[in-house]
Amino acid sequence: MSTTEEIGRYTLDPFITVDQLVDDTTLNEVDLNDAFLKQASLAAFYGVMASRASGQASNMKLTRDAVTAKVSKNYRDSAADAGAKLTENSLSEKVATDPRVIEVIKAYNRAVEIEGEVKAVVEAMKQRKDMVVQLGSSERDNAKGEVRMKLTAGTSDRGADLRKKLAKSK
């Protein structure tokens, strides 16, 4: 279904693909029954994907915080071993520019982005549901109109038949 994304040593799951999204949100007006039947399962599927994306983002946040703390400790320990004094500002600069921290921040940012994308799909599924309901309502209204037209045509035909019979009987 979805492929993984590699950001340095971190692997993220995007949970959805554009092709899958297009297939799942496209409506076929010819077969509304299929759309009605699939709507609940699609909404549930994307709700679960949103939950998993949220969990992935939370886990990446924990990883980001742990890596940042470990790198910070390494710089403090190195400075202490060398007998150098390290200010908070210089420590913050060293940590912020450390490649390991940059890598984990990029992975965390992408995880948050994925979470937002999947939440947007959940919202799209809600809008799809509204469209399915509206199309179903329109189809019912059209069917009622067709029935009325048939009934009216049938009544007109019977009236014409009665007039013909009355004219012949005179």
Side-chain angles (χ1 to χ4, degrees):
M1 184 173 307
S2 61
T3 59
T4 58
E5 292 182 24
E6 302 291 327
I7 299 176
R9 70 188 91 196
Y10 303 101
T11 302
L12 299 174
D13 187 345
F15 296 101
I16 57 171
T17 65
V18 173
D19 292 339
Q20 176 188 8
L21 175 61
V22 169
D23 287 346
D24 289 346
T25 56
T26 301
L27 284 177
N28 179 359
E29 288 185 56
V30 175
D31 190 7
L32 281 179
N33 287 335
D34 186 54
F36 277 114
L37 294 173
K38 285 184 178 178
Q39 183 60 37
S41 62
L42 285 173
F45 173 77
Y46 283 110
V48 169
M49 293 300 103
S51 178
R52 289 181 182 170
S54 180
Q56 176 175 258
S58 295
N59 288 339
M60 278 309 304
K61 182 178 181 183
L62 290 172
T63 302
R64 180 202 65 187
D65 293 347
V67 168
T68 302
K70 183 176 180 180
V71 168
S72 179
K73 183 178 181 328
N74 288 345
Y75 280 120
R76 286 179 198 271
D77 291 347
S78 294
D81 291 345
K85 189 164 185 166
L86 194 59
T87 65
E88 280 300 316
N89 283 342
S90 70
L91 176 64
S92 293
E93 287 174 11
K94 285 180 180 271
V95 170
T97 58
D98 187 281
R100 294 167 291 182
V101 172
I102 291 171
E103 181 181 73
V104 75
I105 288 173
K106 285 180 180 179
Y108 169 69
N109 289 344
R110 179 62 185 130
V112 170
E113 186 179 325
I114 290 168
E115 178 184 22
E117 290 169 358
V118 179
K119 284 181 179 179
V121 174
V122 169
E123 182 60 34
M125 284 294 119
K126 291 176 185 175
Q127 292 179 14
R128 181 184 187 273
K129 180 196 96 167
D130 293 343
M131 288 188 302
V132 168
V133 168
Q134 183 59 45
L135 287 171
S137 177
S138 294
E139 190 173 283
R140 270 192 309 280
D141 290 345
N142 289 342
K144 286 178 187 175
E146 288 174 15
V147 168
R148 265 191 230 109
M149 296 288 284
K150 288 179 182 176
L151 287 175
T152 304
T155 304
S156 296
D157 291 344
R158 281 182 287 202
D161 289 343
L162 285 174
R163 280 194 284 287
K164 285 179 187 175
K165 286 180 182 178
L166 283 174
K168 285 182 183 179
S169 66
K170 289 185 182 180

